[in-house]
Amino acid sequence: MADELVVGPFPAGFRKFWLPLGRMVAGALLVLLGPVKVRGAYRVPKEGGVLILANHIADMDPILVQYACGRPVHFMAKSELFDLPVIGRLMRFFGAFAVKRGEPDRKALKFSADLLKTGEAVGIFPEGQISEDGELQELKPGVALIARMAGTPVICVGISGSQRMMPYGKTIPRPAFRTVTLVWGEPRTFGKETSAEEFLAWVQGQFLTLVED
């Protein structure tokens, strides 16, 4: 697999044309699959680097988070997806970058921090994989390192109900027939002295508060 860590800041043309177009297309799709309700989006910093953390219960989650966020987001995604001809090309175009799972990928962690330092928004699912039963899984400690390296605000978003749009193991979305919600928490900045345990405890507490039953 070729080196995928070549994504830079989103160009102005992407922000002015492709992002609004993508949000419009996603919005039309989500009208059919939803309804989708977003709460607290005003809490997302409009400028400067911000690390976005979300729970992960369906393959639709990156689309939902980008739809719920008013600025373009670079998503960290498993490296295997970039080998798929169509999906890989789309992911690169929309600013995603690869991480190798099953091992500490320091290159991807540093790349995430570098993007944040340039003022970009980076989205990560700290569980590292989709939850089969919708329950929150163990959080990977790498996100704590990124937060300490970058020194930018961190904000969590709790996703509820997206597994009804795309159940675990399925590849084709379907109507949820119930409201899918995304709830944004309050941003917080962590210093280099913050321990991984303290950071992960905060993230877990955020998800337990933001994810609805």
Side-chain angles (χ1 to χ4, degrees), residues 38-78:
V38 180
R39 297 206 298 269
Y42 64 90
R43 299 188 181 111
V44 181
K46 294 180 173 57
E47 296 180 350
V50 59
L51 177 59
I52 296 171
L53 304 179
N55 61 309
H56 204 6
I57 51 178
D59 284 322
M60 290 286 294
D61 292 341
I63 296 174
L64 288 166
V65 173
Q66 179 61 90
Y67 173 76
C69 185
R71 54 186 293 185
V73 181
H74 296 273
F75 284 97
M76 178 187 284
K78 62 182 181 181

mmCIF file of all heavy atoms in Angstrom, residues 38-78:
data_model
loop_
_atom_site.group_PDB
_atom_site.id
_atom_site.type_symbol
_atom_site.label_atom_id
_atom_site.label_comp_id
_atom_site.label_asym_id
_atom_site.label_seq_id
_atom_site.Cartn_x
_atom_site.Cartn_y
_atom_site.Cartn_z
ATOM 1 N N VAL A 38 -29.226 17.270 15.283
ATOM 2 C CA VAL A 38 -27.918 17.689 15.786
ATOM 3 C C VAL A 38 -28.132 18.731 16.879
ATOM 4 O O VAL A 38 -28.884 19.691 16.694
ATOM 5 C CB VAL A 38 -27.058 18.288 14.660
ATOM 6 C CG1 VAL A 38 -25.694 18.719 15.205
ATOM 7 C CG2 VAL A 38 -26.888 17.281 13.522
ATOM 8 N N ARG A 39 -27.459 18.537 18.011
ATOM 9 C CA ARG A 39 -27.572 19.486 19.105
ATOM 10 C C ARG A 39 -26.179 19.950 19.548
ATOM 11 O O ARG A 39 -25.259 19.154 19.637
ATOM 12 C CB ARG A 39 -28.311 18.865 20.295
ATOM 13 C CG ARG A 39 -29.742 18.481 19.997
ATOM 14 C CD ARG A 39 -30.585 18.496 21.263
ATOM 15 N NE ARG A 39 -30.124 17.540 22.243
ATOM 16 C CZ ARG A 39 -30.558 16.279 22.330
ATOM 17 N NH1 ARG A 39 -31.453 15.829 21.473
ATOM 18 N NH2 ARG A 39 -30.103 15.473 23.271
ATOM 19 N N GLY A 40 -26.056 21.233 19.796
ATOM 20 C CA GLY A 40 -24.814 21.781 20.333
ATOM 21 C C GLY A 40 -23.727 22.047 19.320
ATOM 22 O O GLY A 40 -22.566 22.251 19.704
ATOM 23 N N ALA A 41 -24.057 22.101 18.022
ATOM 24 C CA ALA A 41 -23.020 22.315 17.001
ATOM 25 C C ALA A 41 -22.328 23.664 17.161
ATOM 26 O O ALA A 41 -21.185 23.836 16.713
ATOM 27 C CB ALA A 41 -23.630 22.202 15.606
ATOM 28 N N TYR A 42 -22.989 24.616 17.805
ATOM 29 C CA TYR A 42 -22.385 25.935 18.017
ATOM 30 C C TYR A 42 -21.156 25.852 18.922
ATOM 31 O O TYR A 42 -20.343 26.776 18.970
ATOM 32 C CB TYR A 42 -23.415 26.884 18.640
ATOM 33 C CG TYR A 42 -23.871 26.478 20.021
ATOM 34 C CD1 TYR A 42 -23.193 26.924 21.159
ATOM 35 C CD2 TYR A 42 -24.980 25.652 20.181
ATOM 36 C CE1 TYR A 42 -23.611 26.541 22.428
ATOM 37 C CE2 TYR A 42 -25.402 25.265 21.445
ATOM 38 C CZ TYR A 42 -24.719 25.711 22.563
ATOM 39 O OH TYR A 42 -25.134 25.323 23.823
ATOM 40 N N ARG A 43 -20.988 24.727 19.631
ATOM 41 C CA ARG A 43 -19.845 24.583 20.531
ATOM 42 C C ARG A 43 -18.551 24.242 19.785
ATOM 43 O O ARG A 43 -17.469 24.363 20.350
ATOM 44 C CB ARG A 43 -20.131 23.490 21.563
ATOM 45 C CG ARG A 43 -21.329 23.770 22.462
ATOM 46 C CD ARG A 43 -21.423 22.742 23.577
ATOM 47 N NE ARG A 43 -22.573 22.972 24.423
ATOM 48 C CZ ARG A 43 -23.647 22.180 24.476
ATOM 49 N NH1 ARG A 43 -23.691 21.094 23.719
ATOM 50 N NH2 ARG A 43 -24.653 22.456 25.271
ATOM 51 N N VAL A 44 -18.655 23.801 18.548
ATOM 52 C CA VAL A 44 -17.459 23.451 17.779
ATOM 53 C C VAL A 44 -16.711 24.728 17.414
ATOM 54 O O VAL A 44 -17.289 25.627 16.789
ATOM 55 C CB VAL A 44 -17.823 22.684 16.490
ATOM 56 C CG1 VAL A 44 -16.561 22.318 15.719
ATOM 57 C CG2 VAL A 44 -18.632 21.434 16.816
ATOM 58 N N PRO A 45 -15.437 24.854 17.797
ATOM 59 C CA PRO A 45 -14.684 26.061 17.433
ATOM 60 C C PRO A 45 -14.697 26.283 15.925
ATOM 61 O O PRO A 45 -14.459 25.358 15.154
ATOM 62 C CB PRO A 45 -13.269 25.756 17.942
ATOM 63 C CG PRO A 45 -13.478 24.775 19.058
ATOM 64 C CD PRO A 45 -14.638 23.937 18.627
ATOM 65 N N LYS A 46 -14.978 27.498 15.509
ATOM 66 C CA LYS A 46 -15.093 27.801 14.078
ATOM 67 C C LYS A 46 -13.735 27.981 13.419
ATOM 68 O O LYS A 46 -13.618 27.861 12.199
ATOM 69 C CB LYS A 46 -15.952 29.048 13.871
ATOM 70 C CG LYS A 46 -17.414 28.850 14.274
ATOM 71 C CD LYS A 46 -18.214 30.127 14.054
ATOM 72 C CE LYS A 46 -19.698 29.878 14.293
ATOM 73 N NZ LYS A 46 -19.970 29.340 15.646
ATOM 74 N N GLU A 47 -12.720 28.289 14.192
ATOM 75 C CA GLU A 47 -11.382 28.485 13.650
ATOM 76 C C GLU A 47 -10.359 27.786 14.532
ATOM 77 O O GLU A 47 -10.599 27.526 15.713
ATOM 78 C CB GLU A 47 -11.061 29.990 13.570
ATOM 79 C CG GLU A 47 -11.953 30.769 12.617
ATOM 80 C CD GLU A 47 -11.590 32.246 12.588
ATOM 81 O OE1 GLU A 47 -10.796 32.667 13.442
ATOM 82 O OE2 GLU A 47 -12.098 32.968 11.714
ATOM 83 N N GLY A 48 -9.201 27.501 13.937
ATOM 84 C CA GLY A 48 -8.120 26.886 14.690
ATOM 85 C C GLY A 48 -8.270 25.378 14.774
ATOM 86 O O GLY A 48 -9.328 24.819 14.496
ATOM 87 N N GLY A 49 -7.190 24.740 15.159
ATOM 88 C CA GLY A 49 -7.207 23.293 15.247
ATOM 89 C C GLY A 49 -8.172 22.797 16.309
ATOM 90 O O GLY A 49 -8.293 23.395 17.376
ATOM 91 N N VAL A 50 -8.859 21.711 16.009
ATOM 92 C CA VAL A 50 -9.759 21.089 16.979
ATOM 93 C C VAL A 50 -9.779 19.582 16.727
ATOM 94 O O VAL A 50 -9.900 19.128 15.585
ATOM 95 C CB VAL A 50 -11.185 21.678 16.916
ATOM 96 C CG1 VAL A 50 -11.810 21.504 15.533
ATOM 97 C CG2 VAL A 50 -12.078 21.036 17.974
ATOM 98 N N LEU A 51 -9.613 18.825 17.795
ATOM 99 C CA LEU A 51 -9.663 17.368 17.724
ATOM 100 C C LEU A 51 -11.075 16.920 18.070
ATOM 101 O O LEU A 51 -11.571 17.190 19.171
ATOM 102 C CB LEU A 51 -8.654 16.764 18.703
ATOM 103 C CG LEU A 51 -8.627 15.230 18.810
ATOM 104 C CD1 LEU A 51 -8.320 14.583 17.467
ATOM 105 C CD2 LEU A 51 -7.618 14.793 19.867
ATOM 106 N N ILE A 52 -11.724 16.253 17.121
ATOM 107 C CA ILE A 52 -13.101 15.784 17.292
ATOM 108 C C ILE A 52 -13.084 14.288 17.571
ATOM 109 O O ILE A 52 -12.539 13.506 16.776
ATOM 110 C CB ILE A 52 -13.930 16.074 16.031
ATOM 111 C CG1 ILE A 52 -14.032 17.593 15.804
ATOM 112 C CG2 ILE A 52 -15.321 15.455 16.140
ATOM 113 C CD1 ILE A 52 -14.647 17.973 14.470
ATOM 114 N N LEU A 53 -13.672 13.881 18.692
ATOM 115 C CA LEU A 53 -13.740 12.471 19.062
ATOM 116 C C LEU A 53 -15.197 12.029 19.088
ATOM 117 O O LEU A 53 -16.049 12.731 19.636
ATOM 118 C CB LEU A 53 -13.101 12.250 20.433
ATOM 119 C CG LEU A 53 -11.650 12.717 20.586
ATOM 120 C CD1 LEU A 53 -11.160 12.450 22.004
ATOM 121 C CD2 LEU A 53 -10.748 12.032 19.560
ATOM 122 N N ALA A 54 -15.471 10.878 18.493
ATOM 123 C CA ALA A 54 -16.843 10.373 18.427
ATOM 124 C C ALA A 54 -16.872 8.886 18.735
ATOM 125 O O ALA A 54 -15.922 8.158 18.424
ATOM 126 C CB ALA A 54 -17.440 10.621 17.038
ATOM 127 N N ASN A 55 -17.967 8.439 19.343
ATOM 128 C CA ASN A 55 -18.171 6.989 19.480
ATOM 129 C C ASN A 55 -18.492 6.417 18.110
ATOM 130 O O ASN A 55 -18.847 7.137 17.170
ATOM 131 C CB ASN A 55 -19.284 6.690 20.487
ATOM 132 C CG ASN A 55 -20.627 7.281 20.078
ATOM 133 O OD1 ASN A 55 -20.739 8.466 19.754
ATOM 134 N ND2 ASN A 55 -21.664 6.455 20.083
ATOM 135 N N HIS A 56 -18.352 5.099 17.966
ATOM 136 C CA HIS A 56 -18.421 4.496 16.626
ATOM 137 C C HIS A 56 -19.341 3.279 16.644
ATOM 138 O O HIS A 56 -18.991 2.226 17.178
ATOM 139 C CB HIS A 56 -17.015 4.082 16.197
ATOM 140 C CG HIS A 56 -16.819 3.978 14.718
ATOM 141 N ND1 HIS A 56 -17.776 4.353 13.798
ATOM 142 C CD2 HIS A 56 -15.753 3.523 13.980
ATOM 143 C CE1 HIS A 56 -17.310 4.150 12.572
ATOM 144 N NE2 HIS A 56 -16.098 3.653 12.662
ATOM 145 N N ILE A 57 -20.535 3.440 16.035
ATOM 146 C CA ILE A 57 -21.508 2.350 16.037
ATOM 147 C C ILE A 57 -21.971 1.965 14.639
ATOM 148 O O ILE A 57 -22.747 1.019 14.489
ATOM 149 C CB ILE A 57 -22.730 2.705 16.902
ATOM 150 C CG1 ILE A 57 -23.308 4.066 16.524
ATOM 151 C CG2 ILE A 57 -22.359 2.682 18.382
ATOM 152 C CD1 ILE A 57 -24.551 4.460 17.319
ATOM 153 N N ALA A 58 -21.481 2.652 13.597
ATOM 154 C CA ALA A 58 -21.893 2.313 12.229
ATOM 155 C C ALA A 58 -20.927 2.918 11.220
ATOM 156 O O ALA A 58 -20.250 3.921 11.504
ATOM 157 C CB ALA A 58 -23.313 2.808 11.948
ATOM 158 N N ASP A 59 -20.883 2.331 10.036
ATOM 159 C CA ASP A 59 -20.038 2.868 8.967
ATOM 160 C C ASP A 59 -20.493 4.251 8.515
ATOM 161 O O ASP A 59 -19.731 4.969 7.869
ATOM 162 C CB ASP A 59 -20.054 1.918 7.763
ATOM 163 C CG ASP A 59 -19.194 0.687 7.986
ATOM 164 O OD1 ASP A 59 -18.116 0.822 8.597
ATOM 165 O OD2 ASP A 59 -19.596 -0.417 7.569
ATOM 166 N N MET A 60 -21.725 4.632 8.844
ATOM 167 C CA MET A 60 -22.245 5.948 8.471
ATOM 168 C C MET A 60 -21.689 7.067 9.340
ATOM 169 O O MET A 60 -21.858 8.246 9.024
ATOM 170 C CB MET A 60 -23.778 5.950 8.596
ATOM 171 C CG MET A 60 -24.509 5.114 7.577
ATOM 172 S SD MET A 60 -24.523 5.889 5.949
ATOM 173 C CE MET A 60 -25.534 7.331 6.262
ATOM 174 N N ASP A 61 -21.021 6.737 10.428
ATOM 175 C CA ASP A 61 -20.650 7.752 11.419
ATOM 176 C C ASP A 61 -19.790 8.889 10.874
ATOM 177 O O ASP A 61 -20.037 10.052 11.215
ATOM 178 C CB ASP A 61 -19.973 7.081 12.614
ATOM 179 C CG ASP A 61 -20.940 6.210 13.404
ATOM 180 O OD1 ASP A 61 -22.160 6.397 13.263
ATOM 181 O OD2 ASP A 61 -20.472 5.327 14.151
ATOM 182 N N PRO A 62 -18.762 8.635 10.036
ATOM 183 C CA PRO A 62 -17.991 9.777 9.512
ATOM 184 C C PRO A 62 -18.847 10.763 8.722
ATOM 185 O O PRO A 62 -18.671 11.984 8.831
ATOM 186 C CB PRO A 62 -16.931 9.110 8.624
ATOM 187 C CG PRO A 62 -16.794 7.724 9.175
ATOM 188 C CD PRO A 62 -18.176 7.350 9.623
ATOM 189 N N ILE A 63 -19.779 10.239 7.927
ATOM 190 C CA ILE A 63 -20.675 11.110 7.157
ATOM 191 C C ILE A 63 -21.537 11.942 8.102
ATOM 192 O O ILE A 63 -21.735 13.142 7.898
ATOM 193 C CB ILE A 63 -21.556 10.269 6.210
ATOM 194 C CG1 ILE A 63 -20.683 9.571 5.168
ATOM 195 C CG2 ILE A 63 -22.615 11.130 5.540
ATOM 196 C CD1 ILE A 63 -21.444 8.606 4.273
ATOM 197 N N LEU A 64 -22.034 11.306 9.153
ATOM 198 C CA LEU A 64 -22.883 12.009 10.113
ATOM 199 C C LEU A 64 -22.115 13.094 10.859
ATOM 200 O O LEU A 64 -22.621 14.207 11.053
ATOM 201 C CB LEU A 64 -23.475 11.002 11.104
ATOM 202 C CG LEU A 64 -24.559 10.082 10.537
ATOM 203 C CD1 LEU A 64 -24.813 8.918 11.494
ATOM 204 C CD2 LEU A 64 -25.852 10.859 10.302
ATOM 205 N N VAL A 65 -20.891 12.786 11.282
ATOM 206 C CA VAL A 65 -20.103 13.772 12.006
ATOM 207 C C VAL A 65 -19.779 14.962 11.103
ATOM 208 O O VAL A 65 -19.885 16.125 11.515
ATOM 209 C CB VAL A 65 -18.812 13.149 12.569
ATOM 210 C CG1 VAL A 65 -17.912 14.223 13.174
ATOM 211 C CG2 VAL A 65 -19.145 12.100 13.623
ATOM 212 N N GLN A 66 -19.388 14.693 9.850
ATOM 213 C CA GLN A 66 -19.105 15.802 8.936
ATOM 214 C C GLN A 66 -20.361 16.620 8.673
ATOM 215 O O GLN A 66 -20.311 17.858 8.618
ATOM 216 C CB GLN A 66 -18.528 15.279 7.627
ATOM 217 C CG GLN A 66 -18.223 16.349 6.596
ATOM 218 C CD GLN A 66 -17.188 17.358 7.074
ATOM 219 O OE1 GLN A 66 -16.002 17.181 6.888
ATOM 220 N NE2 GLN A 66 -17.642 18.446 7.709
ATOM 221 N N TYR A 67 -21.500 15.952 8.538
ATOM 222 C CA TYR A 67 -22.771 16.662 8.331
ATOM 223 C C TYR A 67 -23.087 17.553 9.532
ATOM 224 O O TYR A 67 -23.583 18.667 9.372
ATOM 225 C CB TYR A 67 -23.884 15.646 8.112
ATOM 226 C CG TYR A 67 -25.262 16.255 8.067
ATOM 227 C CD1 TYR A 67 -25.710 16.939 6.940
ATOM 228 C CD2 TYR A 67 -26.129 16.139 9.155
ATOM 229 C CE1 TYR A 67 -26.979 17.509 6.901
ATOM 230 C CE2 TYR A 67 -27.396 16.705 9.126
ATOM 231 C CZ TYR A 67 -27.810 17.376 7.996
ATOM 232 O OH TYR A 67 -29.070 17.941 7.964
ATOM 233 N N ALA A 68 -22.776 17.066 10.729
ATOM 234 C CA ALA A 68 -23.121 17.794 11.954
ATOM 235 C C ALA A 68 -22.120 18.883 12.300
ATOM 236 O O ALA A 68 -22.365 19.671 13.218
ATOM 237 C CB ALA A 68 -23.223 16.814 13.124
ATOM 238 N N CYS A 69 -21.002 18.938 11.577
ATOM 239 C CA CYS A 69 -19.940 19.896 11.873
ATOM 240 C C CYS A 69 -19.922 20.977 10.797
ATOM 241 O O CYS A 69 -20.024 20.679 9.610
ATOM 242 C CB CYS A 69 -18.589 19.187 11.927
ATOM 243 S SG CYS A 69 -17.214 20.238 12.425
ATOM 244 N N GLY A 70 -19.786 22.212 11.203
ATOM 245 C CA GLY A 70 -19.844 23.308 10.240
ATOM 246 C C GLY A 70 -18.554 23.581 9.504
ATOM 247 O O GLY A 70 -18.468 24.547 8.756
ATOM 248 N N ARG A 71 -17.532 22.750 9.696
ATOM 249 C CA ARG A 71 -16.247 22.958 9.032
ATOM 250 C C ARG A 71 -15.726 21.617 8.535
ATOM 251 O O ARG A 71 -16.116 20.565 9.042
ATOM 252 C CB ARG A 71 -15.257 23.604 10.000
ATOM 253 C CG ARG A 71 -15.105 22.849 11.296
ATOM 254 C CD ARG A 71 -14.239 23.583 12.297
ATOM 255 N NE ARG A 71 -12.847 23.667 11.853
ATOM 256 C CZ ARG A 71 -11.875 24.168 12.599
ATOM 257 N NH1 ARG A 71 -12.124 24.632 13.816
ATOM 258 N NH2 ARG A 71 -10.638 24.211 12.146
ATOM 259 N N PRO A 72 -14.845 21.595 7.531
ATOM 260 C CA PRO A 72 -14.361 20.315 6.998
ATOM 261 C C PRO A 72 -13.493 19.582 8.010
ATOM 262 O O PRO A 72 -12.751 20.198 8.777
ATOM 263 C CB PRO A 72 -13.563 20.724 5.763
ATOM 264 C CG PRO A 72 -13.172 22.138 6.002
ATOM 265 C CD PRO A 72 -14.286 22.746 6.797
ATOM 266 N N VAL A 73 -13.603 18.263 7.997
ATOM 267 C CA VAL A 73 -12.912 17.421 8.971
ATOM 268 C C VAL A 73 -12.045 16.391 8.254
ATOM 269 O O VAL A 73 -12.493 15.722 7.319
ATOM 270 C CB VAL A 73 -13.923 16.685 9.870
ATOM 271 C CG1 VAL A 73 -13.195 15.823 10.910
ATOM 272 C CG2 VAL A 73 -14.871 17.659 10.548
ATOM 273 N N HIS A 74 -10.792 16.263 8.687
ATOM 274 C CA HIS A 74 -9.916 15.187 8.239
ATOM 275 C C HIS A 74 -10.159 13.976 9.161
ATOM 276 O O HIS A 74 -9.919 14.074 10.365
ATOM 277 C CB HIS A 74 -8.440 15.584 8.359
ATOM 278 C CG HIS A 74 -8.020 16.716 7.492
ATOM 279 N ND1 HIS A 74 -7.602 16.547 6.190
ATOM 280 C CD2 HIS A 74 -7.945 18.049 7.743
ATOM 281 C CE1 HIS A 74 -7.273 17.725 5.682
ATOM 282 N NE2 HIS A 74 -7.475 18.646 6.600
ATOM 283 N N PHE A 75 -10.615 12.859 8.606
ATOM 284 C CA PHE A 75 -10.866 11.685 9.433
ATOM 285 C C PHE A 75 -9.713 10.690 9.354
ATOM 286 O O PHE A 75 -9.172 10.423 8.276
ATOM 287 C CB PHE A 75 -12.153 10.977 8.992
ATOM 288 C CG PHE A 75 -13.402 11.684 9.440
ATOM 289 C CD1 PHE A 75 -14.067 12.537 8.575
ATOM 290 C CD2 PHE A 75 -13.891 11.503 10.724
ATOM 291 C CE1 PHE A 75 -15.215 13.198 8.982
ATOM 292 C CE2 PHE A 75 -15.034 12.160 11.142
ATOM 293 C CZ PHE A 75 -15.701 13.011 10.268
ATOM 294 N N MET A 76 -9.341 10.158 10.504
ATOM 295 C CA MET A 76 -8.410 9.038 10.553
ATOM 296 C C MET A 76 -9.198 7.759 10.271
ATOM 297 O O MET A 76 -10.235 7.517 10.882
ATOM 298 C CB MET A 76 -7.746 8.954 11.935
ATOM 299 C CG MET A 76 -6.803 7.777 12.095
ATOM 300 S SD MET A 76 -6.183 7.605 13.808
ATOM 301 C CE MET A 76 -4.974 8.943 13.846
ATOM 302 N N ALA A 77 -8.714 6.932 9.340
ATOM 303 C CA ALA A 77 -9.431 5.723 8.960
ATOM 304 C C ALA A 77 -8.451 4.563 8.790
ATOM 305 O O ALA A 77 -7.273 4.773 8.476
ATOM 306 C CB ALA A 77 -10.200 5.948 7.656
ATOM 307 N N LYS A 78 -8.945 3.355 8.963
ATOM 308 C CA LYS A 78 -8.072 2.192 8.852
ATOM 309 C C LYS A 78 -7.485 2.091 7.454
ATOM 310 O O LYS A 78 -8.154 2.368 6.447
ATOM 311 C CB LYS A 78 -8.822 0.914 9.223
ATOM 312 C CG LYS A 78 -10.021 0.570 8.347
ATOM 313 C CD LYS A 78 -10.703 -0.692 8.863
ATOM 314 C CE LYS A 78 -11.895 -1.074 7.986
ATOM 315 N NZ LYS A 78 -12.588 -2.288 8.502
#
